[in-house]
Amino acid sequence: MRTIDWVDGVVEIIDQTLLPGRLEVRRISTVEELVDAIRSLAVRGAPALGVAGAYGVALAAKQHGGDAERLRSAVHLVTTARPTAVNLARGARRAAARLPEGFDAVLAEADAQRDEEIAASAAMAGRGADLLTELCGAAPRVLTHCNTGALAAVVGGTALGVVAELHRRGTLGPVIASETRPLLQGARLTAWELSQLGVDFRVAVDGAGPFLMARGEVDAVVLGADRICANGDTVNKVGTYAHALGARRAGIPFVVVAPETTVDADTASGADVEIEDRDGAEVISGVPAVNPAFDVTPHDLVTAIVTDRRVIRLDRGERV
Ligand code: MRU
């Protein structure tokens, strides 16, 4: 089952706000509905957002094909629905470049991006599993953060695709999925996907990660990215930086798995990335709260970045 696809003239997504309680497909026929789905995290995760951006432009072309002004503002709405994952704006812009050729060309471009993400997931899984085996030996005990599985892509996933591949090979140790406050992508979505895969896992509160590493219960941290900057700084779900510090202190590898569509060579460093600040009410109600959805892990804390085309060993001085 695909997390996002174009089916019979509409965008179909698995509504991730309902998981793990209900597995429900939502059919989306307007740009406004899609933007709402993106902002509410019904569809989420960098690779899936790239495909959503492209299909959003297809919806815009279908809705407003004859009205240049409305079309432009619909495309802008999609492109800017969330600011941090580079995939969203990139996917939308690539599709928008085909607008002069008409709706069919835009849809063909969006379908091509969907297929690229499917192929990228497969490539990352194999390469990442090989790297983890090389770094940690047989049966690594992995800690992962947020959700980076099929739900964050189209099928497969990034870091969780690597975990799944190690499991398929029979060379995976027990997994820790960190909860990922406040919206619980780890406790809700990753736990659901790991259960489906039959992986041995436990959920931990986010703050436990560095201590579990210090106690010798984790061999590697493996997670995804929303944007990888030119200098290797990695922007990912808030809590990632703390796990990177914990991994460095414990002397274990910190591996980022992301498709090339998440690598942003035009952005020099993490300091240049807009971090989405979400409603404090997602954290707690009744008292003031601050809610950055992402953080920046400095490149010197990253052991390696695995993409669908390469392994970049930052620990050996290789460059993005
Ligand atoms: O706010 P979200 O759920 O869209 O954040 C997602 C993440 O931070 C993921 O770790 C990242 O997109 C990589 S997903 C393959």
Side-chain angles (χ1 to χ4, degrees):
M1 189 170 189
R2 291 173 175 175
T3 296
I4 178 164
D5 206 352
W6 183 275
V7 181
D8 299 334
V10 299
V11 179
E12 280 193 356
I13 59 160
I14 294 176
D15 185 343
Q16 300 186 39
T17 60
L18 304 176
L19 285 169
R22 281 209 323 270
L23 175 58
E24 214 172 277
V25 171
R26 196 196 289 186
R27 288 169 63 77
I28 294 174
S29 55
T30 68
V31 166
E32 292 72 20
E33 284 173 79
L34 182 69
V35 166
D36 175 65
I38 291 171
R39 291 194 177 134
S40 65
L41 273 54
V43 60
R44 49 150 294 283
L49 286 176
V51 177
Y55 281 138
V57 175
L59 282 178
K62 202 174 160 210
Q63 267 179 278
H64 305 298
D67 184 334
E69 196 44 51
R70 287 183 127 178
L71 181 57
R72 207 178 0 261
S73 97
V75 169
H76 179 73
L77 209 59
V78 172
T79 309
T80 57
R82 291 184 77 193
T84 305
V86 67
N87 303 61
L88 176 62
R90 182 173 271 171
R93 286 198 189 106
R94 263 181 69 181
R98 305 288 300 275
L99 279 168
E101 299 166 66
F103 168 76
D104 288 346
V106 174
L107 183 58
E109 168 60 33
D111 284 342
Q113 291 188 38
R114 173 203 60 199
D115 294 343
E116 276 172 36
E117 289 301 348
I118 292 172
S121 283
M124 286 183 283
R127 190 167 287 125
D130 291 347
L131 177 71
L132 277 181
T133 307
E134 181 191 322
L135 290 171
C136 306
R141 298 163 301 166
V142 162
L143 181 144
T144 190
H145 184 59
C146 195
N147 172 265
T148 61
L151 291 170
V154 180
V155 295
T158 62
L160 211 65
V162 171
V163 168
E165 175 61 18
L166 285 167
H167 177 64
R168 261 191 297 276
R169 294 181 185 181
T171 57
L172 176 68
V175 171
I176 291 172
S178 75
E179 195 178 32
T180 317
R181 282 273 297 148
L183 296 179
L184 303 179
Q185 287 93 329
R188 290 188 303 112
L189 308 176
T190 300
W192 183 75
E193 292 196 275
L194 289 172
S195 303
Q196 305 265 316
L197 291 165
V199 166
D200 174 14
F201 77 95
R202 288 173 295 169
V203 172
V205 296
D206 297 330
F211 178 63
L212 293 171
M213 296 175 215
R215 215 161 63 173
E217 295 179 30
V218 180
D219 297 314
V221 176
V222 185
L223 35 64
D226 291 88
R227 192 184 294 241
I228 294 169
C229 303
N231 70 346
D233 285 358
T234 294
V235 181
N236 191 46
K237 179 55 55 191
V238 68
T240 298
Y241 180 30
H243 289 320
L245 289 167
R248 173 55 53 89
R249 177 75 190 209
I252 61 173
F254 181 89
V255 176
V256 175
V257 185
E260 290 286 339
T261 48
T262 299
V263 177
D264 180 11
D266 297 331
T267 298
S269 78
D272 305 311
V273 178
E274 182 183 349
I275 300 293
E276 177 184 5
D277 276 299
R278 294 182 64 87
D279 191 344
E282 289 180 349
V283 176
I284 189 165
S285 57
V287 290
V290 58
N291 187 15
F294 302 94
D295 62 24
V296 179
T297 297
H299 58 90
D300 59 290
L301 294 177
V302 179
T303 306
I305 296 169
V306 178
T307 80
D308 43 312
R309 284 202 231 121
R310 51 198 172 133
V311 174
I312 309 158
R313 289 293 297 261
L314 296 182
D315 62 339
R316 292 183 180 161
E318 291 177 9
R319 307 290 307 263
V320 171

